[in-house]
Amino acid sequence: MNPILTVAAKEFRDDFRNRWTVALTILFALLALGIAWFGSAAAGRVGFTSFDATLASLTTLGAFVIPLIGLLIAYDTIVGERDDGTLLLMLSYPLARGQLVAGKFLGHCGALAAATLVGFGLAVAIMQWMQPPAQTLQAWLHIGRFILSASLLGACFVGLACLISVQTTDKSRAAGLALIGWLLSVVLFDLALLALLVVSGGNPLERAVYPYLLLLNPVDVFRLVNLTALGDGAGNDLLTGMTAHHSYPPLLLGLVMLAWAVLPFAWAMLAFRRKEV
């Protein structure tokens, strides 16, 4: 376990030595505050509105930004070491291949979770201070759920980035595949489901299957974790409308997100053990 923690600590420090990660933390906070403050500008007013509406907006922001960041900080996990000529050197140490991948995965996940916690947490704390919600305990439970699910969402895409990095032979191809993965999961998947609804006319079979299709995408699971907890009137009208009559146990959603984080990472470890370097 010590080699894994050593590698993880090194990756964590390297991520925060890189000003890109610090800039992302500040960006998280600024975007969150901006959405919260100007979210009702179209209705002719600015300022913090209801807490539920603000958290729903933050969920939408997180669904777009966190997967992209997770992919960008980890897409060169292995292929970058190979391109720099340091991979064989690292493997010459008393360090198993699986330990190397596991350490890098944990380090990147920790860095992204810390950036999410500090960035979104700072913004939410400012909103709480400026306009405390009526039900403080319930609000903080929603915040905790959001931060935890956002960290798991980041881990899902860090694991996918590790898999891409193991399977590719150069950084440019890995970067391209990472961006394609982001586009497929964040944009095209939901568009495909919407097209399916339009073609089928929203028939009863489609309405019965649709809630389960959402579980095939960690981004939609992240939305479900947060938007279903907020209740009616929060977030994506299509998402909430099509799942209004379907109950998702919180434990099920948590396990699905955990599976999405673990499976790509486990696949990356297995592939790297069998790959010639």
Side-chain angles (χ1 to χ4, degrees):
M1 192 66 179
N2 286 337
I4 295 177
L5 295 179
T6 300
V7 174
K10 175 186 176 299
E11 293 298 321
F12 185 89
R13 289 193 301 269
D14 287 348
D15 282 341
F16 276 98
R17 284 197 191 103
N18 185 348
R19 294 181 180 179
W20 172 246
T21 306
V22 177
L24 289 174
T25 304
I26 298 172
L27 179 65
F28 282 159
L30 292 178
L31 286 176
L33 287 172
I35 286 177
W37 186 259
F38 296 105
S40 300
R45 61 180 187 274
V46 294
F48 298 125
T49 54
S50 69
F51 177 79
D52 288 356
T54 299
L55 196 58
S57 297
L58 293 182
T59 299
T60 301
L61 172 65
F64 278 90
V65 175
I66 293 174
L68 181 62
I69 303 309
L71 289 167
L72 291 181
I73 67 172
Y75 78 90
D76 62 345
T77 295
I78 299 299
V79 72
E81 299 284 359
R82 184 186 293 115
D83 283 0
D84 294 340
T86 55
L87 181 59
L88 289 176
L89 176 63
M90 295 186 71
L91 293 177
S92 68
Y93 297 132
L95 179 68
R97 292 189 180 194
Q99 291 175 325
L100 177 61
V101 176
K104 286 179 172 289
F105 172 77
L106 291 176
H108 289 311
C109 286
L112 185 53
T116 303
L117 176 62
V118 174
F120 284 123
L122 178 62
V124 170
I126 292 173
M127 286 183 277
Q128 288 278 94
W129 173 68
M130 295 187 68
Q131 186 176 350
Q135 298 177 337
T136 305
L137 178 59
Q138 184 179 8
W140 281 107
L141 288 175
H142 287 322
I143 294 168
R145 181 187 295 108
F146 173 80
I147 296 294
L148 179 60
S149 60
S151 299
L152 274 176
L153 180 64
C156 295
F157 285 88
V158 168
L160 178 60
C162 289
L163 178 59
I164 291 172
S165 188
V166 167
Q167 298 285 26
T168 52
T169 56
D170 62 84
K171 289 174 65 173
S172 59
R173 181 175 298 178
L177 288 174
L179 291 176
I180 290 173
W182 178 82
L183 186 66
L184 287 173
S185 58
V186 175
V187 179
L188 296 182
F189 183 86
D190 287 340
L191 286 179
L193 288 186
L194 179 59
L196 186 61
L197 285 174
V198 171
V199 171
S200 66
N203 60 62
L205 177 61
E206 175 63 27
R207 288 179 174 272
V209 173
Y210 179 86
Y212 298 100
L213 293 178
L214 293 174
L215 301 181
L216 299 178
N217 185 359
V219 176
D220 285 324
V221 179
F222 167 71
R223 290 191 182 108
L224 288 171
V225 167
N226 292 283
L227 297 183
T228 55
L230 294 176
D232 297 335
N236 188 306
D237 291 337
L238 176 63
L239 183 73
T240 54
M242 292 298 296
T243 59
H245 301 293
H246 187 84
S247 176
Y248 293 95
L251 180 60
L252 171 64
L253 294 177
L255 290 175
V256 171
M257 284 212 74
L258 186 61
W260 268 112
V262 170
L263 290 178
F265 159 65
W267 189 356
M269 286 186 63
L270 180 62
F272 189 50
R273 284 172 178 168
R274 297 179 176 180
K275 192 175 183 68
E276 291 186 8
V277 295

